Structures are given as structure tokens and as C-alpha cells.
Amino acid sequence: MTELIPSFGGFAFTLLAFVAALSIIVAIHDYGHYIVGRWSGIHAEVFSLGFGPVLFARTDRHGTKWQVAALPFGGYVKFLGDANAASGKDAAAVDALDPEERRRSMHGAPLWARAATVAAGPIFNFILSVIVFAGVMVFSGQASNEPVVGDIRPMPADMQLLEPGDRILSIEGEAVETLVDVFELGRTLEPAAALSYEVERDGQTLTVDANFPLIAVVESVTPRSAAMDAGLEQGDVIRSIDGAPIYAFEQLRGAVEASQGAELALSVWRDGEMLDIALAPRRMDLPSPEGGFETRWLIGVTGGLFFDPEITRVGLGEAITAGGATVVNVVQTSLSGLWHMITGAISSCNLQGPIGIAETSGAAASQGLDSFFWFVAVLSTAVGLLNLFPIPVLDGGHLLFHAFEAVAGRPPSDRAMRLFMTIGLTLILSLMLFALTNDLFCP
């Protein structure tokens, strides 16, 4: 693990970001179980953040013990009649309860109450994701589709730039009506050090020379990528590859793909200084627009314009709708990725374990609060989805047992439940071990 984290400061920051993200997600998940259980008449004996020795605890007026434990890597709600944190049945304790108390236990409550309490955890994860996605959109705003220059980013002194407030009318004689047109021309025009722009500035129409629109600027860095490992940062401008100057992000993309994994020597401008950075592209599996996945050589950066577009405010209703759509997209992409790993269409190295998730947490936090909260929302969606898998010990497994009870008119026997729980726990531990192996040995 010390090879993955270059310094104690980096390790501490990564661990803190991981614990913060996990604590938020677990707290919301377990609160869903707790509050819906309480509404349904099921008594929660313990609400715990973390496992192991208890650091702090208090009992509320409902008789629930709220506690914080020493190991902050999860949490649980223990209901009346539960034998353990996985909601296994304590048969002796349940049998000793009188009918009124048994109704307040997880195993003596009506089927609808038990099912609602179990389902609430993943549902609250999805709700958290929608709220966080929407919140980031509301507070950060979104880029306007008007082809108007907002702020000019820090750029090398030799680059020719436009001015804030300029409305782009055409590039190299190609008409521009929306910001999308600017991006399209940035992908199709012949790369050059400067292009001819027609702009509207202070009420006048001017023809000026300015930089290629989609330059090789680092808009964002993908966690656990070749770019992050090599030290590339947001805002870096890549000026040349293997000594050949580049003017457009498409040139960078082409050079990376053509390398087939061979090391590339990058000349990078950062805050007025030139840096030499060497890295080797890696094969990565990405969702394709048509569905499924495609495997490409990548270094792990996204590009952007040499200026920031104008930012517009996003209404709450629009943001919530977009947040819900983002949750659906994360679920669809996750299920598609899992299926493609099972069938061997993409590498199983795409499955991350605790080290990979922790690294991603730290990387997201290092790129700003909006990036970190976006990651929390994605991880919350993934946790909600994982818990719905029909595996005993997970919420989905309990819902499967409840479905059996609804059809058969009786729950599975205690002996069968213990067997299923053992199988489920074995599967989960095996999956965690496999994911941890990926963290340590996958490239």
C-alpha cells in the first residue's frame, strides 16, 4: 500500500476522505432502516456508526442506543430480536417475548413492515445520491450553451486568447451558433497554433486570431490512472509529445491511441513553468454511447476549452430531475459493467476494492468539494445497488426471503436461514478478497 500512497500526508488525506465518504453513506443507509422501522413499529436497540470498541454512546427517549465505534468502516442497526448486525434471528430471545413485544421485533413484525424496513436502506442511498447530484448542479451551475467566453484560464504567454465576454460567431469561416458547435469544430478542424475567429466584442464584429479551441489542457484527472500516477494536474497544458508540438486535444488522443501502451514523453506547462513528464498509457474499459463497453488506450485525462464558458443557474426542479437521471445512468452502467466482467468482455480489474475506493475518494477530494460530493453520490448509488443484490446478509437477500414468505405463506426455517446466511457471508467475503487482490495486483 505504501507504493500506492507516496507520503504520509497523502495517505492521511486519502484515509480521511474515504472515512468521510463512507460515514456519510453508511449513516444515511442505516438511518433509512432505522426511521422506516420506527414508523413501522419495529424497535431499534442499537444504531452504530463503525464497529468494535464503543467510543461514544447515548440512549434516546425511544430506547435506541446511538453509538460511535472505533472502526469507522461501516455501521449497522440492530433491531429487537436480532442476533447480530446482519439481522440474523435470535430465536431464543424472540420466543421469550410476549406478543406485544414480539410485534416490535424485526422477526415478529408483519411482513410489510419488515420488507419496508429492509428496502429503506438502499432507497435512502438513492435519495441521497439524487439530492447530492442536484445540490452540486444548483451550487456549481452549468455551462451555458451560448458561445460566449467566460473567464480566461491561465495559459502559456505565447498563446493568443480571446477576451471575456466575446461571443464567437465563426471559426475559420465555419458558423458558430452554440457552444456545442465550438466543441464540434475543435474535433474536426485541422490543428494549428492559431485560428481565425469572428467575434462580437463590445457591440462590434471583429476578426481576430486566437488559440485552437480544444487545446490539450487537462480538464480533469481520472483517479488511479497513468496521468494521476505521473503527477499531471488539472489546468496543465500539454505542449508537446515526444518532442512534437501539439495544438489540439485530438492530437493528444491520437498519440495516446497510437502508442499502444509505449511510454510517452510529455512537455507540460504549469503555472508559468515547463515540466517533463513521462507516462505509459493503459488499456481501460469505458462505457460506449451505443451501450456496452469499449477498450481503449488512455492516460486518464479529459480536455476542455482554453476558456470557461458562461455559467448559468440551474433551477431546483431541473436539478432534481437531472440528479435522478444521473442515478439511473450510474445504475445502468454499473450493471452493464458487472455483466461484461462476468462474461469476460472486459477485464475484472475494473472491480475496485477498499484501497481503490479510498484512493478514488482522496483523488476526488483533492480536486475540490464539488468533485468529492459528486463521488459520494456515485458511491452511494453503488452501495444502494449492491445491497439490492439477492445475496443473503445483504438487503436484497432479506427481501428475497420476504418474497418467499409472501408466496409460501411462511418464512424459511431457522436452519435454512442460518445456512443461507453462511453462504451469503462467504460470497461477500470472497468478493471483497477478490476486489482487494485487484487493488494490489491489477495494473
Side-chain angles (χ1 to χ4, degrees), residues 35 89 204-205 231 233 340 346 355 403 425:
I35 194 63
K89 182 180 178 180
Q204 295 183 317
T205 299
E233 298 179 2
H340 282 77
I346 62 175
I355 296 176
L425 184 60

Side-chain angles (χ1 to χ4, degrees), residues 338-354:
L338 181 61
W339 174 250
H340 282 77
M341 278 189 279
I342 292 173
T343 59
I346 62 175
S347 171
S348 60
C349 285
N350 286 280
L351 181 66
Q352 288 189 353

Side-chain angles (χ1 to χ4, degrees), residues 299-330:
I299 62 173
V301 300
T302 60
L305 301 166
F306 64 85
F307 60 87
D308 289 324
E310 279 193 325
I311 299 298
T312 60
R313 306 302 297 175
V314 179
L316 183 59
E318 181 184 358
I320 290 175
T321 300
T326 304
V327 168
V328 171
N329 181 63
V330 172

Side-chain angles (χ1 to χ4, degrees), residues 263-320:
E263 186 175 87
L264 299 173
L266 308 182
S267 180
V268 177
W269 179 91
R270 179 187 298 166
D271 298 330
E273 297 183 4
M274 294 302 299
L275 307 173
D276 293 323
I277 294 179
L279 52 74
R282 300 171 185 171
R283 293 184 69 90
M284 298 181 68
D285 300 307
L286 298 177
S288 63
E290 299 78 20
F293 285 76
E294 57 181 348
T295 303
R296 293 165 47 192
W297 290 101
L298 299 172
I299 62 173
V301 300
T302 60
L305 301 166
F306 64 85
F307 60 87
D308 289 324
E310 279 193 325
I311 299 298
T312 60
R313 306 302 297 175
V314 179
L316 183 59
E318 181 184 358
I320 290 175

Side-chain angles (χ1 to χ4, degrees), residues 193-427:
L195 300 178
S196 175
Y197 287 73
E198 185 180 23
V199 301
E200 181 182 307
R201 178 183 299 169
D202 298 328
Q204 295 183 317
T205 299
L206 305 175
T207 300
V208 297
D209 288 337
N211 212 64
F212 198 85
L214 281 180
I215 62 172
V217 62
V218 177
E219 182 83 9
S220 65
V221 182
T222 303
R224 308 194 78 209
S225 65
M228 177 156 284
D229 291 346
L232 280 175
E233 298 179 2
Q234 187 178 29
D236 286 350
V237 180
I238 301 171
R239 305 303 305 273
S240 68
I241 301 177
D242 292 335
I246 62 171
Y247 310 109
F249 190 82
E250 287 300 312
Q251 290 176 290
L252 172 62
R253 191 196 308 274
V256 167
E257 189 65 34
S259 73
Q260 294 295 294
E263 186 175 87
L264 299 173
L266 308 182
S267 180
V268 177
W269 179 91
R270 179 187 298 166
D271 298 330
E273 297 183 4
M274 294 302 299
L275 307 173
D276 293 323
I277 294 179
L279 52 74
R282 300 171 185 171
R283 293 184 69 90
M284 298 181 68
D285 300 307
L286 298 177
S288 63
E290 299 78 20
F293 285 76
E294 57 181 348
T295 303
R296 293 165 47 192
W297 290 101
L298 299 172
I299 62 173
V301 300
T302 60
L305 301 166
F306 64 85
F307 60 87
D308 289 324
E310 279 193 325
I311 299 298
T312 60
R313 306 302 297 175
V314 179
L316 183 59
E318 181 184 358
I320 290 175
T321 300
T326 304
V327 168
V328 171
N329 181 63
V330 172
V331 168
Q332 291 176 336
T333 302
S334 299
L335 291 175
S336 176
L338 181 61
W339 174 250
H340 282 77
M341 278 189 279
I342 292 173
T343 59
I346 62 175
S347 171
S348 60
C349 285
N350 286 280
L351 181 66
Q352 288 189 353
I355 296 176
I357 296 172
E359 280 195 289
T360 305
S361 302
S366 69
Q367 296 186 44
L369 280 178
D370 56 344
S371 177
F372 174 69
F373 281 118
W374 195 271
F375 169 75
V376 168
V378 172
L379 186 58
S380 180
T381 303
V383 168
L385 176 63
L386 176 64
N387 271 277
L388 286 177
F389 285 0
I391 300 174
V393 310
L394 296 181
D395 294 331
H398 289 289
L399 290 173
L400 186 63
F401 297 145
H402 294 333
F404 171 84
E405 182 178 349
V407 173
R410 58 176 178 81
S413 67
D414 291 345
R415 182 179 178 182
M417 287 290 290
R418 287 194 295 270
L419 175 62
F420 287 138
M421 286 293 186
T422 301
I423 294 173
L425 184 60
T426 302
L427 287 174

Side-chain angles (χ1 to χ4, degrees), residues 134-182:
V136 172
M137 294 176 194
V138 168
F139 286 103
S140 300
Q142 67 178 7
S144 168
N145 198 30
E146 296 295 321
V148 177
V149 178
D151 294 330
I152 299 294
R153 301 178 178 185
M155 288 289 157
D158 62 322
M159 286 188 171
Q160 298 169 274
L161 306 174
L162 299 176
E163 295 184 4
D166 284 352
R167 173 178 286 272
I168 301 173
L169 303 177
S170 70
I171 305 176
E172 289 292 303
E174 298 284 346
V176 170
E177 295 182 359
T178 67
L179 192 66
V180 173
D181 295 334
V182 177

